[in-house]
Amino acid sequence: MSFMIIKSSWKKFLFCCFSVAVFSPLTSCKKDNPGDVVAINKSDEVPKDIISKLQEAGFDTSEGLRKFQNGYLVEYDILFTAEQINELSANGPLVSIPNGRVEHYRTNKLVVATPRVLQVFMDTGFGSFMQNAFDDALARYNNQNIGLSFQRTTNSANADIRIVSFFENSLTLGVSGGNPSNGNPATTIQLNTFYYNNTTTRPDAATTIAHEIGHAIGFRHTDFMDRRFSCGNEGFDPNEGNGDNGAVHIPGTPTNAVGNSWMLACSNNTNRPFTNQDIIALTTLYPVKVTPVGFQSVYRYYSGSNGDHFYTGNWGELGKGNSTYTLEGIEFYIASTQAYAPAPVYRYRSTTNNYHLYTTNWAELGNGSNGYVSEGILGYAFGNQVPGTVPIYRYRNTKNGDHFYTQVQMNYSDLVSEGIAFYTFGYQY
């Protein structure tokens, strides 16, 4: 999660720490009145094994670490659950930063299956000012025509990202629930109604929401390595995390200090739309993938429970995944009608283990045989290679019988090649 910190002053508010982007809560720098700072009780102490695992993953635990809700705040504004910290530790150190220049950075995990529409829910308890700020934040992203688009939804249960409220008389403005996981964005953003409520009209509202969405889709602070650039010298460690902390430089973004970025750690409580450098970072990280005319994306899913690989061109069938299937991204494109490609790709399901099989050879299974039932047509492809198309290779897993389809030739002992299933336009990774 990510927090934003505010310096409470009659002259200005300081967005101190919309801090680290791996999980990003907005935190506040430091208030002038020490009584405003929430004391950390003995019960709030962080277990030594949690500290050790965070250090192994490259995070700074010297300050800004405390218990928060169902997990731990790291570097002021990153919220991890204990399970996520265990996963970080198991994965080993992340990417290190060789110097302290202000550039745009991303985390190691991103949202996959672009182009993609993300449904975003805003707590209805927020009044009209915050609702308008929410619409403004979504429009900022949508106006860039990147590979992700954002759509308001009133259905909280099915939203990809949920923006909800919490109240805490503390330095925290808001919290973003982490970085992308399993190809999906972090699911929850929290805004502190101590600052964002129905009687306030803070100029930074839309920027705060856009900032936390930035963390949810994989952006880190542009000045995470030296918060003095945007926060000034506030008496805290200016580096959010020394060592291997999952910050990957985005090519094409500046190597010199650039002000007003929406992902700076601190703000002067002004509205900060995307700068030209921000736009470069967005379009580089999530470029528009152009779908060939007449074709649609085929999404690949994997079931960890039975080992099945499942392919569908219908996003509504599984969407971002469910309790059984995990979204693994777009594998290739397939024609929606025979006007664009001649060969039907037939889809079958095994009645014994729910494994799926796809073939252009009707004679292979016909209306269903050998324990398979027909599930219709996936789409249309080519039986022979035509310009611009790639072969889709078919493999069978010798351990469980699962069939795997990919435009990449595989060389694993458990996978036996069954030739080329068909030809179609490949997805450019």
Side-chain angles (χ1 to χ4, degrees):
M1 288 194 171
S2 143
F3 279 111
M4 180 164 28
I5 300 176
I6 312 170
K7 181 180 179 182
S8 180
S9 164
W10 67 273
K11 291 184 178 179
K12 67 176 181 178
F13 286 94
L14 182 63
F15 248 14
C16 257
C17 311
F18 295 94
S19 246
V20 182
V22 182
F23 284 41
S24 159
L26 284 91
T27 71
S28 99
C29 293
K30 202 173 200 177
K31 290 196 175 181
D32 292 342
N33 181 359
D36 289 339
V37 179
V38 177
I40 299 179
N41 301 321
K42 192 75 174 176
S43 61
D44 291 329
E45 290 184 353
V46 179
K48 290 182 179 179
D49 67 317
I50 292 292
I51 295 174
S52 176
K53 290 173 181 177
L54 286 169
Q55 290 174 342
E56 289 174 6
F59 289 95
D60 180 11
T61 61
S62 63
E63 51 102 24
L65 174 64
R66 68 180 174 103
K67 285 183 65 65
F68 183 82
Q69 295 180 353
N70 66 334
Y72 303 92
L73 278 181
V74 183
E75 298 174 356
Y76 288 111
D77 75 343
I78 306 174
L79 178 60
F80 289 110
T81 63
E83 291 75 15
Q84 290 168 330
I85 292 172
N86 289 333
E87 181 182 353
L88 283 172
S89 178
N91 289 338
L94 304 181
V95 178
S96 62
I97 301 302
N99 54 50
R101 300 176 299 186
V102 176
E103 304 165 322
H104 284 74
Y105 295 90
R106 66 170 177 86
T107 59
N108 290 331
K109 295 181 179 181
L110 299 176
V111 178
V112 301
T114 58
R116 180 171 169 186
V117 178
L118 297 179
Q119 302 291 324
V120 189
F121 170 81
M122 179 73 164
D123 192 329
T124 56
F126 287 109
S128 60
F129 176 80
M130 289 302 294
Q131 296 294 338
N132 290 336
F134 170 62
D135 289 333
D136 183 0
L138 298 190
R140 294 182 187 188
Y141 285 99
N142 292 335
N143 289 342
Q144 304 312 316
N145 192 33
I146 60 176
L148 295 176
S149 57
F150 299 82
Q151 185 176 83
R152 175 194 275 269
T153 180
T154 58
N155 189 334
S156 173
N158 292 331
D160 297 285
I161 300 173
R162 299 170 58 251
I163 301 177
V164 299
S165 65
F166 78 104
F167 178 86
E168 183 179 84
N169 184 350
S170 70
L171 303 177
T172 300
L173 293 181
V175 178
S176 173
N179 60 331
S181 177
N182 294 324
N184 298 309
T187 56
T188 304
I189 290 171
Q190 299 180 65
L191 298 178
N192 191 352
T193 55
F194 181 69
Y195 299 103
Y196 299 108
N197 53 61
N198 294 339
T199 62
T200 59
T201 56
R202 289 177 58 92
D204 60 4
T207 300
T208 298
I209 295 171
H211 180 102
E212 294 305 334
I213 290 175
H215 284 310
I217 63 175
F219 283 92
R220 282 204 64 165
H221 291 154
T222 52
D223 60 343
F224 80 95
M225 78 302 291
D226 191 350
R227 289 178 291 183
R228 289 173 297 186
F229 178 72
S230 63
C231 305
N233 186 4
E234 292 297 314
F236 53 82
D237 186 347
N239 193 319
E240 291 176 348
N242 298 318
D244 300 331
N245 50 13
V248 181
H249 175 236
I250 300 174
T253 60
T255 57
N256 60 308
V258 178
N260 297 320
S261 169
W262 102 109
M263 291 308 296
L264 284 174
C266 294
S267 162
N268 59 359
N269 190 25
T270 60
N271 185 24
R272 289 207 310 256
F274 297 139
T275 66
N276 289 336
Q277 290 78 19
D278 291 340
I279 294 171
I280 291 172
L282 285 162
T283 55
T284 300
L285 203 58
Y286 291 108
V288 175
K289 303 274 196 314
V290 179
T291 305
V293 175
F295 284 71
Q296 62 189 22
S297 301
V298 172
Y299 303 96
R300 187 179 92 194
Y301 298 85
Y302 176 71
S303 170
S305 60
N306 72 351
D308 177 46
H309 281 92
F310 175 66
Y311 302 78
T312 178
N314 178 9
W315 172 258
E317 190 165 5
L318 284 178
K320 57 186 177 181
N322 58 22
S323 59
T324 302
Y325 284 92
T326 299
L327 174 66
E328 292 190 328
I330 297 174
E331 185 57 46
F332 49 82
Y333 298 108
I334 203 159
S336 53
T337 71
Q338 281 186 298
Y340 297 97
V345 179
Y346 302 102
R347 168 177 148 179
Y348 298 89
R349 178 180 57 84
S350 168
T351 57
T352 58
N353 51 28
N354 287 322
Y355 288 169
H356 287 82
L357 184 147
Y358 305 83
T359 180
T360 57
N361 180 9
W362 173 256
E364 185 173 2
L365 292 175
N367 286 318
S369 62
N370 297 330
Y372 283 90
V373 294
S374 173
E375 290 193 333
I377 294 175
L378 172 67
Y380 300 87
F382 300 92
N384 299 297
Q385 192 162 24
V386 301
T389 63
V390 298
I392 302 300
Y393 301 98
R394 170 174 153 176
Y395 295 89
R396 181 176 57 83
N397 189 316
T398 57
K399 288 187 175 180
N400 60 16
D402 169 55
H403 282 89
F404 180 63
Y405 300 79
T406 177
Q407 58 180 301
V408 180
Q409 288 185 292
M410 311 295 287
N411 185 24
Y412 293 98
S413 58
D414 295 338
L415 294 179
V416 173
S417 173
E418 293 190 337
I420 295 173
F422 47 84
Y423 296 87
T424 191
F425 292 101
Y427 180 78
Q428 300 300 312
Y429 296 103

